[in-house]
PDB file of all heavy atoms in Angstrom:
ATOM      1  N   GLY S  41      -5.555   9.118 -17.086  1.00 71.00           N
ATOM      2  CA  GLY S  41      -6.970   8.787 -17.243  1.00 71.00           C
ATOM      3  C   GLY S  41      -7.631   8.470 -15.913  1.00 71.00           C
ATOM      4  O   GLY S  41      -8.758   8.906 -15.648  1.00 71.00           O
ATOM      5  N   ASP S  42      -6.931   7.723 -15.059  1.00 73.00           N
ATOM      6  CA  ASP S  42      -7.481   7.412 -13.734  1.00 73.00           C
ATOM      7  C   ASP S  42      -7.535   8.656 -12.856  1.00 73.00           C
ATOM      8  O   ASP S  42      -8.446   8.813 -12.035  1.00 73.00           O
ATOM      9  CB  ASP S  42      -6.638   6.333 -13.057  1.00 73.00           C
ATOM     10  CG  ASP S  42      -7.006   4.935 -13.522  1.00 73.00           C
ATOM     11  OD1 ASP S  42      -7.736   4.842 -14.533  1.00 73.00           O
ATOM     12  OD2 ASP S  42      -6.573   3.955 -12.912  1.00 73.00           O
ATOM     13  N   TRP S  43      -6.537   9.546 -12.999  1.00 68.00           N
ATOM     14  CA  TRP S  43      -6.524  10.763 -12.185  1.00 68.00           C
ATOM     15  C   TRP S  43      -7.696  11.679 -12.527  1.00 68.00           C
ATOM     16  O   TRP S  43      -8.286  12.301 -11.647  1.00 68.00           O
ATOM     17  CB  TRP S  43      -5.210  11.509 -12.388  1.00 68.00           C
ATOM     18  CG  TRP S  43      -5.249  12.918 -11.873  1.00 68.00           C
ATOM     19  CD1 TRP S  43      -5.199  14.067 -12.598  1.00 68.00           C
ATOM     20  CD2 TRP S  43      -5.373  13.337 -10.507  1.00 68.00           C
ATOM     21  NE1 TRP S  43      -5.287  15.166 -11.776  1.00 68.00           N
ATOM     22  CE2 TRP S  43      -5.393  14.746 -10.486  1.00 68.00           C
ATOM     23  CE3 TRP S  43      -5.472  12.636  -9.301  1.00 68.00           C
ATOM     24  CZ2 TRP S  43      -5.509  15.471  -9.316  1.00 68.00           C
ATOM     25  CZ3 TRP S  43      -5.594  13.364  -8.126  1.00 68.00           C
ATOM     26  CH2 TRP S  43      -5.606  14.765  -8.133  1.00 68.00           C
ATOM     27  N   LEU S  44      -8.072  11.748 -13.807  1.00 63.00           N
ATOM     28  CA  LEU S  44      -9.208  12.579 -14.202  1.00 63.00           C
ATOM     29  C   LEU S  44     -10.483  12.117 -13.505  1.00 63.00           C
ATOM     30  O   LEU S  44     -11.349  12.932 -13.156  1.00 63.00           O
ATOM     31  CB  LEU S  44      -9.391  12.534 -15.723  1.00 63.00           C
ATOM     32  CG  LEU S  44      -8.279  13.192 -16.557  1.00 63.00           C
ATOM     33  CD1 LEU S  44      -8.554  13.013 -18.042  1.00 63.00           C
ATOM     34  CD2 LEU S  44      -8.155  14.668 -16.205  1.00 63.00           C
ATOM     35  N   ASP S  45     -10.604  10.812 -13.304  1.00 68.00           N
ATOM     36  CA  ASP S  45     -11.758  10.275 -12.587  1.00 68.00           C
ATOM     37  C   ASP S  45     -11.610  10.455 -11.079  1.00 68.00           C
ATOM     38  O   ASP S  45     -12.601  10.648 -10.367  1.00 68.00           O
ATOM     39  CB  ASP S  45     -11.932   8.793 -12.923  1.00 68.00           C
ATOM     40  CG  ASP S  45     -13.063   8.149 -12.156  1.00 68.00           C
ATOM     41  OD1 ASP S  45     -14.220   8.565 -12.335  1.00 68.00           O
ATOM     42  OD2 ASP S  45     -12.786   7.225 -11.361  1.00 68.00           O
ATOM     43  N   LEU S  46     -10.361  10.427 -10.610  1.00 67.00           N
ATOM     44  CA  LEU S  46     -10.104  10.461  -9.176  1.00 67.00           C
ATOM     45  C   LEU S  46     -10.149  11.864  -8.598  1.00 67.00           C
ATOM     46  O   LEU S  46     -10.500  12.049  -7.428  1.00 67.00           O
ATOM     47  CB  LEU S  46      -8.736   9.838  -8.893  1.00 67.00           C
ATOM     48  CG  LEU S  46      -8.296   9.662  -7.440  1.00 67.00           C
ATOM     49  CD1 LEU S  46      -9.230   8.703  -6.705  1.00 67.00           C
ATOM     50  CD2 LEU S  46      -6.866   9.142  -7.388  1.00 67.00           C
ATOM     51  N   ARG S  47      -9.818  12.874  -9.385  1.00 66.00           N
ATOM     52  CA  ARG S  47      -9.635  14.217  -8.848  1.00 66.00           C
ATOM     53  C   ARG S  47     -10.906  14.822  -8.270  1.00 66.00           C
ATOM     54  O   ARG S  47     -10.841  15.688  -7.397  1.00 66.00           O
ATOM     55  CB  ARG S  47      -9.073  15.140  -9.930  1.00 66.00           C
ATOM     56  CG  ARG S  47      -9.989  15.349 -11.122  1.00 66.00           C
ATOM     57  CD  ARG S  47      -9.373  16.297 -12.121  1.00 66.00           C
ATOM     58  NE  ARG S  47     -10.248  16.502 -13.262  1.00 66.00           N
ATOM     59  CZ  ARG S  47      -9.998  17.374 -14.236  1.00 66.00           C
ATOM     60  NH1 ARG S  47      -8.889  18.102 -14.199  1.00 66.00           N
ATOM     61  NH2 ARG S  47     -10.843  17.501 -15.241  1.00 66.00           N
ATOM     62  N   VAL S  48     -12.077  14.369  -8.739  1.00 62.00           N
ATOM     63  CA  VAL S  48     -13.329  14.895  -8.208  1.00 62.00           C
ATOM     64  C   VAL S  48     -13.657  14.276  -6.851  1.00 62.00           C
ATOM     65  O   VAL S  48     -14.597  14.703  -6.185  1.00 62.00           O
ATOM     66  CB  VAL S  48     -14.495  14.641  -9.190  1.00 62.00           C
ATOM     67  CG1 VAL S  48     -14.236  15.353 -10.500  1.00 62.00           C
ATOM     68  CG2 VAL S  48     -14.700  13.154  -9.429  1.00 62.00           C
ATOM     69  N   ARG S  49     -12.867  13.242  -6.446  1.00 66.00           N
ATOM     70  CA  ARG S  49     -13.116  12.563  -5.172  1.00 66.00           C
ATOM     71  C   ARG S  49     -11.884  12.587  -4.274  1.00 66.00           C
ATOM     72  O   ARG S  49     -11.688  11.689  -3.458  1.00 66.00           O
ATOM     73  CB  ARG S  49     -13.525  11.108  -5.442  1.00 66.00           C
ATOM     74  CG  ARG S  49     -14.784  10.966  -6.261  1.00 66.00           C
ATOM     75  CD  ARG S  49     -15.186   9.520  -6.476  1.00 66.00           C
ATOM     76  NE  ARG S  49     -14.292   8.840  -7.409  1.00 66.00           N
ATOM     77  CZ  ARG S  49     -13.448   7.885  -7.062  1.00 66.00           C
ATOM     78  NH1 ARG S  49     -13.368   7.498  -5.801  1.00 66.00           N
ATOM     79  NH2 ARG S  49     -12.665   7.319  -7.966  1.00 66.00           N
ATOM     80  N   VAL S  50     -11.058  13.623  -4.416  1.00 66.00           N
ATOM     81  CA  VAL S  50      -9.810  13.689  -3.675  1.00 66.00           C
ATOM     82  C   VAL S  50     -10.053  13.656  -2.165  1.00 66.00           C
ATOM     83  O   VAL S  50      -9.423  12.878  -1.432  1.00 66.00           O
ATOM     84  CB  VAL S  50      -9.018  14.957  -4.060  1.00 66.00           C
ATOM     85  CG1 VAL S  50      -7.853  15.165  -3.093  1.00 66.00           C
ATOM     86  CG2 VAL S  50      -8.500  14.848  -5.473  1.00 66.00           C
ATOM     87  N   VAL S  51     -10.961  14.492  -1.687  1.00 67.00           N
ATOM     88  CA  VAL S  51     -11.233  14.545  -0.249  1.00 67.00           C
ATOM     89  C   VAL S  51     -11.803  13.222   0.247  1.00 67.00           C
ATOM     90  O   VAL S  51     -11.420  12.713   1.305  1.00 67.00           O
ATOM     91  CB  VAL S  51     -12.209  15.697   0.071  1.00 67.00           C
ATOM     92  CG1 VAL S  51     -12.571  15.693   1.559  1.00 67.00           C
ATOM     93  CG2 VAL S  51     -11.589  17.038  -0.319  1.00 67.00           C
ATOM     94  N   GLN S  52     -12.710  12.639  -0.534  1.00 68.00           N
ATOM     95  CA  GLN S  52     -13.308  11.362  -0.152  1.00 68.00           C
ATOM     96  C   GLN S  52     -12.261  10.263  -0.061  1.00 68.00           C
ATOM     97  O   GLN S  52     -12.243   9.484   0.897  1.00 68.00           O
ATOM     98  CB  GLN S  52     -14.375  10.969  -1.170  1.00 68.00           C
ATOM     99  CG  GLN S  52     -15.024   9.618  -0.903  1.00 68.00           C
ATOM    100  CD  GLN S  52     -15.998   9.225  -1.996  1.00 68.00           C
ATOM    101  OE1 GLN S  52     -16.364  10.035  -2.853  1.00 68.00           O
ATOM    102  NE2 GLN S  52     -16.405   7.968  -1.997  1.00 68.00           N
ATOM    103  N   VAL S  53     -11.360  10.212  -1.040  1.00 65.00           N
ATOM    104  CA  VAL S  53     -10.320   9.193  -1.045  1.00 65.00           C
ATOM    105  C   VAL S  53      -9.349   9.399   0.117  1.00 65.00           C
ATOM    106  O   VAL S  53      -8.975   8.446   0.813  1.00 65.00           O
ATOM    107  CB  VAL S  53      -9.553   9.202  -2.386  1.00 65.00           C
ATOM    108  CG1 VAL S  53      -8.343   8.282  -2.316  1.00 65.00           C
ATOM    109  CG2 VAL S  53     -10.476   8.771  -3.518  1.00 65.00           C
ATOM    110  N   ALA S  54      -8.948  10.657   0.343  1.00 65.00           N
ATOM    111  CA  ALA S  54      -7.993  10.945   1.410  1.00 65.00           C
ATOM    112  C   ALA S  54      -8.570  10.638   2.780  1.00 65.00           C
ATOM    113  O   ALA S  54      -7.855  10.201   3.689  1.00 65.00           O
ATOM    114  CB  ALA S  54      -7.567  12.411   1.344  1.00 65.00           C
ATOM    115  N   ALA S  55      -9.883  10.844   2.936  1.00 67.00           N
ATOM    116  CA  ALA S  55     -10.508  10.631   4.242  1.00 67.00           C
ATOM    117  C   ALA S  55     -10.936   9.190   4.472  1.00 67.00           C
ATOM    118  O   ALA S  55     -11.004   8.734   5.618  1.00 67.00           O
ATOM    119  CB  ALA S  55     -11.723  11.544   4.387  1.00 67.00           C
ATOM    120  N   SER S  56     -11.214   8.448   3.379  1.00 67.00           N
ATOM    121  CA  SER S  56     -11.769   7.104   3.535  1.00 67.00           C
ATOM    122  C   SER S  56     -10.821   6.159   4.254  1.00 67.00           C
ATOM    123  O   SER S  56     -11.250   5.296   5.025  1.00 67.00           O
ATOM    124  CB  SER S  56     -12.130   6.526   2.156  1.00 67.00           C
ATOM    125  OG  SER S  56     -10.970   6.416   1.350  1.00 67.00           O
ATOM    126  N   GLY S  57      -9.536   6.298   4.013  1.00 66.00           N
ATOM    127  CA  GLY S  57      -8.579   5.414   4.675  1.00 66.00           C
ATOM    128  C   GLY S  57      -8.086   5.930   6.003  1.00 66.00           C
ATOM    129  O   GLY S  57      -7.205   5.317   6.617  1.00 66.00           O
ATOM    130  N   LEU S  58      -8.654   7.051   6.449  1.00 70.00           N
ATOM    131  CA  LEU S  58      -8.214   7.646   7.708  1.00 70.00           C
ATOM    132  C   LEU S  58      -9.034   7.156   8.888  1.00 70.00           C
ATOM    133  O   LEU S  58      -8.581   7.225  10.033  1.00 70.00           O
ATOM    134  CB  LEU S  58      -8.314   9.176   7.601  1.00 70.00           C
ATOM    135  CG  LEU S  58      -7.765  10.020   8.746  1.00 70.00           C
ATOM    136  CD1 LEU S  58      -6.283   9.750   8.959  1.00 70.00           C
ATOM    137  CD2 LEU S  58      -7.999  11.499   8.459  1.00 70.00           C
ATOM    138  N   VAL S  59     -10.233   6.631   8.627  1.00 74.00           N
ATOM    139  CA  VAL S  59     -11.143   6.262   9.707  1.00 74.00           C
ATOM    140  C   VAL S  59     -10.571   5.152  10.582  1.00 74.00           C
ATOM    141  O   VAL S  59     -10.469   5.289  11.800  1.00 74.00           O
ATOM    142  CB  VAL S  59     -12.517   5.836   9.134  1.00 74.00           C
ATOM    143  CG1 VAL S  59     -13.440   5.384  10.273  1.00 74.00           C
ATOM    144  CG2 VAL S  59     -13.141   6.991   8.375  1.00 74.00           C
ATOM    145  N   SER S  60     -10.190   4.024   9.956  1.00 75.00           N
ATOM    146  CA  SER S  60      -9.666   2.897  10.730  1.00 75.00           C
ATOM    147  C   SER S  60      -8.406   3.249  11.517  1.00 75.00           C
ATOM    148  O   SER S  60      -8.318   2.947  12.715  1.00 75.00           O
ATOM    149  CB  SER S  60      -9.396   1.701   9.814  1.00 75.00           C
ATOM    150  OG  SER S  60     -10.604   1.195   9.297  1.00 75.00           O
ATOM    151  N   PRO S  61      -7.393   3.907  10.893  1.00 77.00           N
ATOM    152  CA  PRO S  61      -6.217   4.287  11.682  1.00 77.00           C
ATOM    153  C   PRO S  61      -6.545   5.195  12.855  1.00 77.00           C
ATOM    154  O   PRO S  61      -5.963   5.051  13.932  1.00 77.00           O
ATOM    155  CB  PRO S  61      -5.331   5.011  10.659  1.00 77.00           C
ATOM    156  CG  PRO S  61      -5.714   4.429   9.356  1.00 77.00           C
ATOM    157  CD  PRO S  61      -7.189   4.158   9.453  1.00 77.00           C
ATOM    158  N   LEU S  62      -7.494   6.109  12.685  1.00 77.00           N
ATOM    159  CA  LEU S  62      -7.868   6.990  13.791  1.00 77.00           C
ATOM    160  C   LEU S  62      -8.502   6.207  14.936  1.00 77.00           C
ATOM    161  O   LEU S  62      -8.239   6.479  16.113  1.00 77.00           O
ATOM    162  CB  LEU S  62      -8.846   8.069  13.298  1.00 77.00           C
ATOM    163  CG  LEU S  62      -8.228   9.338  12.715  1.00 77.00           C
ATOM    164  CD1 LEU S  62      -9.317  10.295  12.265  1.00 77.00           C
ATOM    165  CD2 LEU S  62      -7.315  10.012  13.739  1.00 77.00           C
ATOM    166  N   ILE S  63      -9.334   5.226  14.587  1.00 79.00           N
ATOM    167  CA  ILE S  63      -9.952   4.384  15.617  1.00 79.00           C
ATOM    168  C   ILE S  63      -8.879   3.608  16.377  1.00 79.00           C
ATOM    169  O   ILE S  63      -8.895   3.522  17.607  1.00 79.00           O
ATOM    170  CB  ILE S  63     -10.981   3.426  14.990  1.00 79.00           C
ATOM    171  CG1 ILE S  63     -12.170   4.217  14.443  1.00 79.00           C
ATOM    172  CG2 ILE S  63     -11.455   2.402  16.020  1.00 79.00           C
ATOM    173  CD1 ILE S  63     -13.177   3.368  13.700  1.00 79.00           C
ATOM    174  N   TYR S  64      -7.927   3.039  15.645  1.00 76.00           N
ATOM    175  CA  TYR S  64      -6.835   2.296  16.283  1.00 76.00           C
ATOM    176  C   TYR S  64      -5.989   3.216  17.164  1.00 76.00           C
ATOM    177  O   TYR S  64      -5.573   2.835  18.266  1.00 76.00           O
ATOM    178  CB  TYR S  64      -5.946   1.641  15.219  1.00 76.00           C
ATOM    179  CG  TYR S  64      -6.600   0.509  14.483  1.00 76.00           C
ATOM    180  CD1 TYR S  64      -6.457   0.388  13.099  1.00 76.00           C
ATOM    181  CD2 TYR S  64      -7.358  -0.445  15.153  1.00 76.00           C
ATOM    182  CE1 TYR S  64      -7.051  -0.664  12.405  1.00 76.00           C
ATOM    183  CE2 TYR S  64      -7.944  -1.494  14.468  1.00 76.00           C
ATOM    184  CZ  TYR S  64      -7.792  -1.592  13.103  1.00 76.00           C
ATOM    185  OH  TYR S  64      -8.383  -2.635  12.419  1.00 76.00           O
ATOM    186  N   ILE S  65      -5.727   4.421  16.680  1.00 77.00           N
ATOM    187  CA  ILE S  65      -4.919   5.372  17.452  1.00 77.00           C
ATOM    188  C   ILE S  65      -5.622   5.748  18.757  1.00 77.00           C
ATOM    189  O   ILE S  65      -5.009   5.785  19.828  1.00 77.00           O
ATOM    190  CB  ILE S  65      -4.629   6.627  16.614  1.00 77.00           C
ATOM    191  CG1 ILE S  65      -3.633   6.296  15.493  1.00 77.00           C
ATOM    192  CG2 ILE S  65      -4.064   7.755  17.486  1.00 77.00           C
ATOM    193  CD1 ILE S  65      -3.458   7.412  14.483  1.00 77.00           C
ATOM    194  N   LEU S  66      -6.920   6.012  18.663  1.00 76.00           N
ATOM    195  CA  LEU S  66      -7.678   6.402  19.856  1.00 76.00           C
ATOM    196  C   LEU S  66      -7.836   5.235  20.828  1.00 76.00           C
ATOM    197  O   LEU S  66      -7.688   5.395  22.040  1.00 76.00           O
ATOM    198  CB  LEU S  66      -9.057   6.935  19.449  1.00 76.00           C
ATOM    199  CG  LEU S  66      -9.069   8.251  18.652  1.00 76.00           C
ATOM    200  CD1 LEU S  66     -10.481   8.591  18.211  1.00 76.00           C
ATOM    201  CD2 LEU S  66      -8.488   9.383  19.492  1.00 76.00           C
TER     202      LEU S  66
END
Side-chain angles (χ1 to χ4, degrees):
D42 278 13
W43 166 248
L44 293 177
D45 177 63
L46 185 63
R47 64 179 180 174
V48 298
R49 299 182 288 111
V50 169
V51 176
Q52 177 184 348
V53 172
S56 62
L58 186 59
V59 177
S60 293
L62 273 180
I63 293 175
Y64 290 137
I65 289 171
L66 294 175

